[in-house]
Every structure is written in C-alpha cells, then in structure tokens.
Amino acid sequence: MSGINGIGSPQSPPISQDLAQTANPNGGRFRQVLSKVADGALAGVAAVAPVFPGGQLVSMAANGLRELKATSPGGLTPGGQGDQLDRMFDMQKQSQVFNLQYLQLQTEMQADNRRFSTLSNLMKVRHDTAKAAINNMHA
C-alpha cells in the first residue's frame, strides 16, 4: 500500500517551483495589448467625433487622453504603479496551481480508500471461509 503523496512530497513538485512557472512570462503583454486597444479606441473616437454636434470637445478630450497616456511614465495607471490586472491574472494562475494540487491529493486519497476497501473485503472473505471450515469440522 502506498502512502499519501501530498504537497511537498517527493513525487509532487514543490509549491515554489509551480509558482515560479506561473510568474508572468510575457512581461506585461496583457498591459501592452490593452494599451494598443485603448489607443485605437481613442483614435477612432477622435476621428469620428467631429461629425456629431459638440464632437469637437469630445475629439479634443480623446486626443488629450492619448497625449497624456503617451507622455506619463506609468501610462494612465494611478501613480504609475504596476497593472492590477496583471497581478490579478497572476493570482488566478496561482489559484489554479493550488486547485490542481488539491485535486491530485483527492485522487490519491480515493485510490488509497479503494485499496483499503479491497484489502478489507478480502480479509473478511478469508475469515468467513476459515470460520466456515472450522464449523464444518465441529459438525
């Protein structure tokens, strides 16, 4: 019968290794894609706005936001800090790693339970057979 291979056992990779693999390998790729989408949306608004009444003001605001984004060191993120969406994405990946480890532990527990039940049933049958043989000798 095998032991339960839980977190940190020799057969499962250590948590720190799993977490290192879930670090953002793209270096803020999501932020770059979102930035390009925002640029395109602001450019589209600035191009279409003059057609509508009062659109000059909207066009000027869109162009101002584009310039602000281009000149500020952190883009339009508050205080120039790292992107919260990237951090949330990293936390979701860590959660997936923990969920997979928990699922592996559950699977191993079920396998051990099946082995124990099988062994218990075999021992019961063996005992009942021996008991019946002894009772047949006495009769």
Side-chain angles (χ1 to χ4, degrees):
M1 216 185 269
S2 67
I4 298 172
N5 298 322
I7 296 173
S9 70
Q11 292 182 353
S12 65
I15 293 175
S16 60
Q17 180 184 357
D18 287 338
L19 294 180
Q21 292 172 352
T22 62
N24 191 354
N26 300 326
R29 183 172 170 231
F30 181 74
R31 183 184 316 160
Q32 293 169 354
V33 169
L34 197 59
S35 176
K36 288 179 182 178
V37 168
D39 281 339
L42 288 173
V45 167
V48 173
V51 175
F52 299 103
Q56 287 289 14
L57 183 62
V58 173
S59 178
M60 289 174 26
N63 286 329
L65 280 174
R66 287 179 69 200
E67 289 177 25
L68 176 65
K69 183 190 166 302
T71 58
S72 68
L76 295 177
T77 58
Q81 298 297 322
D83 190 18
Q84 289 182 352
L85 292 176
D86 282 341
R87 285 185 277 165
M88 183 179 70
F89 185 68
D90 289 340
M91 287 192 315
Q92 286 176 343
K93 289 177 96 175
Q94 290 174 359
S95 176
Q96 288 175 351
V97 169
F98 292 141
N99 286 339
L100 287 174
Q101 287 177 341
Y102 183 65
L103 182 64
Q104 179 185 7
L105 180 63
Q106 283 181 329
T107 303
E108 291 170 0
M109 289 290 292
Q110 287 174 349
D112 285 345
N113 187 26
R114 283 191 301 268
R115 282 187 218 103
F116 177 78
S117 296
T118 302
L119 186 60
S120 176
N121 290 339
L122 288 173
M123 291 175 67
K124 183 179 184 320
V125 167
R126 183 177 177 191
H127 170 75
D128 290 344
T129 303
K131 186 176 177 182
I134 291 171
N135 285 337
N136 286 340
M137 284 187 210
H138 288 280

